[in-house]
Amino acid sequence: MINGELIDLTAGDYAARIATAGATLVHLRKAGDDLIIPFDAEASLSEAWQGKTLVPWPNRIAGGAYTWQGRRYSVPVNEPELGTALHGLAAWTDWRVVHADSDSATLGLFVAPTYGYPWPLQAWVTYAVDAARGLSVTVSTKNTGQAAAPYGTGVHPYLTVDGHPADSYELTVPASSALTTDASLIPTGRVAVDEAEVDFREPALIGGRSIDHAFTDIGAGGAWTASILHRGTGIGAAITADTPWVQVYSGEHVSRR
């Protein structure tokens, strides 16, 4: 199958589908309403990294080159239009099923060392659906080598309310800073969200704004929740995490849904 094995999870009104290729969240629904933008995993690849697990780095490495502990490394550029290495090494690899039952599944992957990233990693992702809490996603990684490794991780869902356009959402992101970027979307600095004109600490309508920002200084160092609310239906979707960053993107590559 084009996206590997497909695993369906349910609990109460919630239903999720996971694809082993990329440890990908294919869809998440509550009572039939889409909470993330879904795709047909039986027939097509996801668009714009929908639902992928990003290991061992999220976002972009300029020119595919980086320095770690005084040594320069190069990884393949997979975003040629910007000249960057985007979203790690695991998003298009088939993960193995470690465990699966009706409401949870754990996938595992050995990230083999390469010349550009010579550190062996064992990674796991657990998806679990709860009738009250919805979906939880836990990513954990163990460095199985002898040397310290550079590492980051992220997940890539697109929150939605049944595919309504982003213009009609109120967005809330409790972050006080955002990164500025250059033409290749590589960070150049940090500014206050009001200076960057992306202040969503209080609910604000997205409208026609184009957003593609990494937000930080978020959640006072603890858990935080970012959310969208569709003004027309009053239905919303939210993501809660304890990471120090959240990337918010208005979804131009997925028709601003």
Side-chain angles (χ1 to χ4, degrees):
M1 190 171 289
I2 189 170
N3 289 287
E5 182 179 348
L6 302 180
I7 303 168
D8 290 311
L9 309 176
T10 59
D13 288 337
Y14 285 99
R17 171 169 281 187
I18 313 303
T20 57
T24 299
L25 178 61
V26 174
H27 68 233
L28 175 64
R29 295 172 177 137
K30 183 178 183 183
D33 293 319
D34 281 309
L35 302 181
I36 67 163
I37 298 175
F39 68 99
D40 182 0
E42 296 182 5
S44 63
L45 297 176
S46 66
E47 295 183 276
W49 304 81
Q50 286 168 268
K52 296 289 187 180
T53 298
L54 314 178
V55 171
W57 72 86
N59 232 303
R60 295 169 172 86
I61 297 175
Y66 65 99
T67 300
W68 175 252
Q69 296 186 339
R71 182 174 175 179
R72 183 178 171 86
Y73 298 92
S74 295
V75 290
V77 169
N78 61 352
E79 193 180 34
E81 64 272 22
L82 297 182
T84 65
L86 181 61
H87 290 335
L89 302 172
W92 304 99
T93 300
D94 197 32
W95 296 53
R96 64 186 175 88
V97 179
V98 177
H99 163 83
D101 57 27
S102 63
D103 60 1
S104 68
T106 297
L107 308 180
L109 179 69
F110 176 63
V111 181
T114 64
Y115 297 132
Y117 190 89
W119 300 277
L121 304 178
Q122 180 64 55
W124 299 269
V125 183
T126 297
Y127 291 95
V129 180
D130 179 85
R133 296 180 59 242
L135 177 71
S136 65
V137 184
T138 304
V139 182
S140 56
T141 304
K142 181 178 181 180
N143 178 357
T144 58
Q146 301 300 311
Y151 173 81
T153 189
V155 294
H156 208 298
Y158 289 87
L159 296 185
T160 191
V161 177
D162 269 350
H164 290 292
D167 310 55
S168 59
Y169 296 145
E170 286 185 354
L171 173 65
T172 305
V173 183
S176 58
S177 301
L179 296 191
T180 56
T181 59
D182 63 16
S184 294
L185 300 180
I186 299 299
T188 56
R190 179 185 301 193
V191 297
V193 288
D194 52 353
E195 182 179 342
E197 299 182 347
V198 287
D199 188 354
F200 294 98
R201 288 172 291 183
E202 298 295 330
L205 187 68
I206 294 176
R209 281 186 277 195
S210 180
I211 307 166
D212 194 359
H213 293 72
F215 289 78
T216 191
D217 296 324
I218 183 170
W224 49 264
T225 297
S227 63
I228 56 173
L229 177 69
H230 182 244
R231 281 192 169 179
T233 63
I235 300 173
I239 184 169
T240 297
D242 59 4
T243 57
W245 305 88
V246 61
Q247 183 83 16
V248 180
Y249 173 50
S250 47
E252 278 71 11
H253 285 295
V254 286
S255 304
R256 288 180 64 87
R257 289 176 287 161

